[in-house]
Amino acid sequence: MKKPALFFLQFFILLFGFVILTALIRLPLTEGRAVNLDLVQIYTDPFILYVYTASIPFFVALFLAFHLLGYSRKSSLFSLAAVEAIKRIRYCIIVFSLFTFLAGIFILVFHDKEDDPAGFISLCIFTILLSTLVAITASVFEKKVKKGIDLKSKTT
């Protein structure tokens, strides 16, 4: 892949991470029940803290994807470090999916009877399906990179 395209992808990863981080910081302030709360009460809400904890594997996966593109830029994509990064990305995605599933179950069980959790549950399902697709893609990519390493070691 050409270096400008790799720089663009790395920039996109940084931009995506910044947008998600901004949303994680800003959205709790605009939530309906946050109207009469101060900042400490808003950001120490157990569900908000859970969302922040669940976002850690997401940001770790973004960080690893950024470094994976760096390996590709340095022409060392077919290395054991790249395979390890892909494997860690896959694990982070699986952990993020589990956190999302547990959040959906929590909201389904403990939601206020006047609220309809259908929107949140549908977002959880969409996120889990998208994360599963990314994890499967990472698994296939990991196998391709391992095959490339094997071919590279046989030719040298």
Side-chain angles (χ1 to χ4, degrees):
M1 195 177 249
K2 295 183 180 181
K3 289 188 181 196
L6 292 172
F7 280 123
F8 175 74
L9 287 173
Q10 284 183 320
F11 173 75
F12 181 75
I13 287 174
L14 288 176
L15 181 66
F16 185 65
F18 179 73
V19 168
I20 296 298
L21 183 63
T22 303
L24 284 172
I25 293 170
R26 181 75 181 123
L27 286 179
L29 298 173
T30 61
E31 184 184 7
R33 57 189 189 135
V35 173
N36 299 324
L37 301 176
D38 63 356
L39 285 176
V40 174
Q41 290 175 328
I42 291 172
Y43 289 113
T44 57
D45 179 54
F47 191 72
I48 300 298
L49 292 175
Y50 181 83
V51 169
Y52 289 156
T53 304
S55 69
I56 291 170
F58 174 79
F59 285 110
V60 170
L62 280 182
F63 177 77
L64 291 170
F66 185 84
H67 276 286
L68 188 64
L69 289 172
Y71 292 142
S72 181
R73 200 175 68 233
K74 295 175 189 171
S75 299
S76 63
L77 182 61
F78 295 105
S79 66
L80 294 177
V83 171
E84 189 63 31
I86 297 167
K87 190 180 298 185
R88 287 183 181 168
I89 289 171
R90 192 178 73 230
Y91 292 149
C92 286
I93 292 168
I94 291 168
V95 169
F96 178 72
S97 295
L98 289 174
F99 273 123
T100 305
F101 176 76
L102 292 175
I105 296 297
F106 176 80
I107 291 297
L108 192 61
V109 172
F110 295 109
H111 75 279
D112 187 5
K113 299 305 175 201
E114 296 176 6
D115 289 338
D116 183 19
F120 184 78
I121 299 300
S122 65
L123 283 175
C124 288
I125 291 171
F126 177 74
T127 303
I128 291 168
L129 290 175
L130 186 65
S131 298
T132 304
L133 177 67
V134 172
I136 291 170
T137 305
S139 179
V140 170
F141 186 60
E142 179 185 353
K143 289 177 184 174
K144 296 285 185 185
V145 171
K146 282 182 180 178
K147 187 183 263 187
I149 290 171
D150 291 340
L151 287 173
K152 186 177 172 184
S153 65
K154 287 180 183 177
T155 58
T156 55

